[in-house]
Amino acid sequence: MDLNLLLVFQCLMNERSVTKAANALFLTQGAVSASLRKLRVVFNDELFTRGSHGMAPTHRALEIAPQISEALKSISALVTSEQDFDPTRSSRVFRIALSDDLENMLAKRMIRRADEQGWTISFSFYQTNSYLWPQSMVEHGADLAICSSPKFLSTMHKSQVLFSASYICVYDKETTQFSTPMSKQEYLHARHGRVSFDGLRGFVDELFDAERLQRKVKASFTHFSGAINAIIGSPLVLTMPDYAAHSFVECNSRLAVSPVPLRVPSFVVSMIWDINKEHDEESRWLRRFVLELTDQVNGPSGFGTTQEGVLFR
């Protein structure tokens, strides 16, 4: 396969626009469209479809995005020199903006690895989300933003898919007894905790609308950490990203997980950085470090999506 096709795929995944992808790759729109046609033949899938918010990736595109990203990373490593940055001789503070579900999973991994390796670097973590990451990068001077399906990507920033994920149920097994796995009827009639950007409505509410039912929401939250603390000792069910749920369960034996007994979407988690830092040694080292840690998420012992945990791709 022409490797340029993979570059076009990754750029379309990041930009969600033929026009923006063409600008980023210094190609014509016609050339990008032609490459997309070839990609559709190769993968026997539409890959990207036009929608109200640009070119939306299909479920097949979301599945292959991490593998394509990893392949391009490996090729890049063959033609670039080794990093000169030495984390054992630096007092650099890396600033990372990310949502609290990702912070719960990644921050402890980063700190643990730095401690194991005797690195003298440190980290500062800032809260953001898929909508507010540009503001977080400006306000905090973040070296990286990490979030799910980031909005407002432009040619001023570069991004890379880290892994794909979906959703799973988590609950206090000492307070509430569900079937294993949780049945559709149990899920539909349970009391729920809602986690959403504005605390008012989330995608799970739309799933209930499709069933012509109203979700029984006992409490709404804007952060997963607060929601997890609230369900301990309560009968509430949370629906959250699978990697976050497994990470929380690791820390509390009272918690249990179950596949969502409805069709739920998949999504990708990406890291984003300022294009001016593309060749900065310290920034490149940080990106490689994050890639190494998140490679495990899609591995056999990681928290990535599995056939058991995802009912819809």
Side-chain angles (χ1 to χ4, degrees):
M1 177 191 287
D2 183 351
L3 292 179
N4 289 319
L5 294 179
L6 299 185
L7 289 172
V8 170
F9 175 90
Q10 179 157 293
C11 202
L12 283 170
M13 180 64 71
N14 293 337
E15 302 289 354
R16 308 296 171 90
S17 163
V18 170
T19 301
K20 290 180 179 179
N23 290 336
L25 294 168
F26 300 99
L27 297 173
T28 64
Q29 292 184 42
V32 171
S33 296
S35 294
L36 178 56
R37 287 194 294 272
K38 293 178 182 178
L39 284 164
R40 285 167 170 165
V41 172
V42 169
F43 292 103
N44 192 29
D45 188 85
E46 282 294 296
L47 297 180
F48 297 91
T49 58
R50 294 190 182 278
S52 57
H53 299 290
M55 301 291 285
T58 64
H59 300 301
R60 176 62 174 155
L62 290 171
E63 284 182 340
I64 65 177
Q67 289 91 332
I68 290 178
S69 179
E70 180 64 23
L72 291 173
K73 181 191 75 170
S74 298
I75 293 169
S76 177
L78 292 174
V79 297
T80 56
S81 59
E82 285 295 314
Q83 307 286 340
D84 293 326
F85 176 68
D86 184 354
T88 64
R89 298 183 178 181
S90 173
S91 58
R92 178 78 151 80
V93 179
F94 287 106
R95 299 169 179 265
I96 303 169
L98 70 178
S99 52
D100 77 315
D101 55 322
L102 287 162
E103 181 181 54
N104 184 73
M105 180 190 73
L106 277 175
K108 60 186 177 183
R109 291 186 177 196
M110 298 177 79
I111 295 167
R112 186 184 303 130
R113 180 65 62 82
D115 186 55
E116 291 171 350
Q117 299 297 321
W119 295 341
T120 52
I121 59 172
S122 57
F123 308 99
S124 288
F125 300 103
Y126 302 91
Q127 285 294 302
T128 193
N129 57 43
S130 58
Y131 291 91
L132 299 180
W133 68 266
Q135 178 181 336
S136 299
M137 293 192 76
V138 172
E139 289 183 355
H140 304 297
D143 299 289
L144 274 185
I146 306 175
C147 60
S148 61
S149 302
K151 311 298 188 291
F152 315 123
L153 287 169
S154 72
T155 54
M156 299 300 295
H157 295 93
K158 299 272 287 184
S159 67
Q160 184 165 359
V161 173
L162 296 174
F163 59 90
S164 59
S166 190
Y167 296 90
I168 201 168
C169 297
V170 60
Y171 58 94
D172 183 345
K173 63 186 177 184
E174 296 186 16
T175 303
T176 307
Q177 297 297 317
F178 290 113
S179 304
T180 305
M182 186 186 301
S183 71
K184 180 177 179 179
Q185 287 303 310
E186 286 175 325
Y187 184 72
L188 292 176
H189 295 289
R191 285 187 283 177
H192 291 250
R194 176 196 288 126
V195 183
S196 65
F197 171 63
D198 57 8
L200 298 176
R201 187 173 174 83
F203 84 92
V204 178
D205 297 291
E206 297 175 2
L207 299 182
F208 274 72
D209 288 347
E211 298 288 333
R212 299 184 178 180
L213 291 173
Q214 183 163 356
R215 186 159 62 136
K216 299 173 184 176
V217 178
K218 190 68 175 179
S220 294
F221 306 85
T222 57
H223 293 86
F224 290 102
S225 299
I228 281 289
N229 288 332
I231 71 167
I232 302 298
S234 84
L236 299 186
V237 174
L238 291 176
T239 305
M240 63 166 56
D242 47 15
Y243 55 83
H246 285 292
S247 185
F248 283 123
V249 169
E250 272 193 340
C251 300
N252 194 317
S253 61
R254 290 183 59 134
L255 296 175
V257 296
S258 174
V260 182
L262 296 175
R263 294 163 63 87
V264 292
S266 297
F267 59 91
V268 294
V269 172
S270 301
M271 64 176 173
I272 311 146
W273 62 96
D274 192 300
I275 196 169
N276 293 324
K277 295 183 178 181
E278 172 70 5
H279 301 293
D280 176 77
E281 289 181 359
E282 294 179 348
S283 180
R284 291 172 64 185
W285 178 89
L286 177 63
R287 298 197 300 270
R288 188 172 64 174
F289 175 43
V290 171
L291 278 168
E292 180 183 344
L293 291 181
T294 55
D295 275 348
Q296 303 167 14
V297 177
N298 281 323
S301 61
F303 301 145
T305 56
T306 64
Q307 186 63 34
E308 178 185 7
V310 181
L311 303 181
F312 178 63
R313 284 186 178 272

